[in-house]
Amino acid sequence: MPKLRVATVWFSGCSGCHMSFLDLDERLLEFAERAELVFSPIVDLKEFPENVDVVLIEGAVGNTEHLKMLLEIRKKSKILVAFGDCAVTGNVPSLRNPLPREEVLQAVYGTDDPPGLEEGEVPKFLPQALPLHAVVPVDYFLPGCPPSADRIWTFLRPVLLGQKPVLSGPDLKFG
Ligand code: SF4
């Protein structure tokens, strides 16, 4: 049986969801038997590949690079998972949403026009940090800040076995 092609992606998030993924510990051995990690912050590949079976995306859509990449990822992936509360709701990155972009820049950099923040130098802030489903269809929502390793495995193991994952009860809690 061919291995499942799995990707993980890091948008506007703190990497806590990826840390939780690494907390799968010995379960990573079973993961490695059944899946190939074809793209991830922990894999040094620059281009998102074609024909991805499952992609877990951490973080909100916060800038123009995320937006462009998310549209590309959706086209290239069969199952797209909002991985953690920032991806599911906007969570922490969306705390800036009530404020104008200039006010956020002023508070962080002391100027609303800091050098090096123009499009082409770094990706431009979107006016709001968005949850994934505000941009593309999402197949599964995996809440938690971060989702615990047990919760990730409850979701991921059936997927690796070609079954439909079902999250219920405490596994649907935010925070
Ligand atoms: Fe970090 Fe929580 Fe957002 Fe995950 S959901 S990226 S742990 S703030």
Side-chain angles (χ1 to χ4, degrees), residues 8-10 15-23 40-42 56-58 83 146:
T8 76
V9 175
W10 181 10
S15 88
C17 294
H18 274 84
M19 294 302 110
S20 210
F21 181 86
L22 294 177
D23 279 344
S40 173
I42 55 173
L56 291 92
I57 304 181
E58 169 191 321
F83 180 32

Side-chain angles (χ1 to χ4, degrees), residues 6 13 15-16 22 51 61 65 81 87 96 109 113 119 122 161 169-170 175:
V6 177
S15 88
L22 294 177
N51 301 320
V61 185
E65 182 181 54
V81 183
R96 73 171 169 91
Y109 295 100
D113 188 21
E119 187 67 33
V122 296
L161 295 171

